[in-house]
Each structure stands twice: as structure tokens, then as C-alpha cells.
Amino acid sequence: MDIPFSRLITGVFLLLIGVFVYRSLHPATTFAADGIDSTWDAAVQESHDSGKPTIVLFTAGWCPACQMLHRELSTGAVEAELAHYYFHTVSLTQPTPQNQEHARQFGARYIPLMIRYDTNQKETGRTNFLPTEQLVEWLKEGE
């Protein structure tokens, strides 16, 4: 009788560890005012007022992958999909303490990072980089 019970306890323990690891690597965030940065708070208000879903992009000028993503964002198909979104960029080129705090809060461990939010400002997806066709599909999923 001890063997099945110990397996159950082990299973529950491993499940809890798995949930903890998943949540730490995939934080569910909300695009909300936090009083850390007036620019951020204004963007949250503009996003809310627009009635559109939102994309928040963490990027930096010194980042080659970010530069590639910026080129992708300026292609016709991607631009057309981005028109359905409110778009906010957090530049980490010369990071301010506020931008560093937002990067930490939102789990921006790698850049570029795009986080997609619905019209209620709840996170619906995130990606670091996708080819044009996949990026368009990812954007369409959030509309």
C-alpha cells in the first residue's frame, strides 16, 4: 500500500514542479498601468482607448535579430495585420530603470520579444521571431 501512495505523492510533486517551471518561463501578463513609468501608463491608456488588441515589442538598436524583425514588420503583409493592433515599443538600446523593470516583469529574457494582448489587455501569445508568413498568422490569431 505504501508503494502506490508514494508514487502518487511523487507524481503530484513532479506536476507541481512542472507547473512552476512552465509559469516562470511563460508568465501570463496583463498590459496594465503600474505607476513605474508615465510613458508606459499613457500607452496602456491609449491601448485601452483604441479598443484594439495590443502588441508590445521589447527591442534594442544593437540587437541584430531585432533589426531583422523590424524589417519583417515593415513588409506589406505584416504592416496590414499590425494595423489591427495598438503597437507599443520598449527600447532597451539604452535601458532606463523603468524599461529594465518592465523587461523583468514581462519576462523579456531574450529580445526581440513581442507579446500579444487581447482587447481586455490579457496576454494571448508571445514570440521572439517568426518568418513573415508565420508572423502574419500569429498576428491573425490575436485579432
Side-chain angles (χ1 to χ4, degrees):
M1 191 110 181
D2 290 329
I3 294 173
F5 182 72
S6 65
R7 284 188 180 173
L8 176 65
I9 296 298
T10 302
V12 169
F13 181 71
L14 291 174
L15 178 65
L16 290 173
I17 288 174
V19 168
F20 175 76
V21 169
Y22 180 83
R23 294 309 310 156
S24 67
L25 295 175
H26 301 93
T29 61
T30 302
F31 187 52
D34 56 16
I36 293 174
D37 179 3
S38 61
T39 303
W40 178 271
D41 292 351
V44 170
Q45 188 61 49
E46 288 175 29
S47 168
H48 185 286
D49 292 348
S50 76
K52 296 179 177 182
T54 299
I55 298 290
V56 175
L57 171 63
F58 289 89
T59 186
W62 46 261
C63 167
C66 298
Q67 293 168 8
M68 287 175 44
L69 178 61
H70 286 280
R71 285 192 292 276
E72 289 290 320
L73 295 178
S74 63
T75 63
V78 175
E79 277 186 326
E81 287 307 315
L82 283 175
H84 300 275
Y85 286 89
Y86 174 81
F87 193 84
H88 180 68
T89 301
V90 178
S91 176
L92 299 171
T93 302
Q94 295 177 344
T96 64
Q98 295 87 354
N99 285 350
Q100 288 176 325
E101 178 61 19
H102 286 121
R104 187 195 63 73
Q105 285 178 342
F106 288 81
R109 293 175 188 90
Y110 306 101
I111 56 173
L113 173 64
M114 288 192 304
I115 306 175
R116 187 181 62 210
Y117 295 93
D118 64 16
T119 55
N120 295 317
Q121 299 175 319
K122 303 287 184 206
E123 183 177 329
T124 61
R126 53 178 58 208
T127 187
N128 294 97
F129 186 83
L130 294 170
T132 303
E133 299 80 26
Q134 291 175 349
L135 182 56
V136 168
E137 288 303 313
W138 184 80
L139 291 167
K140 285 181 179 182
E141 288 173 12
E143 292 176 9

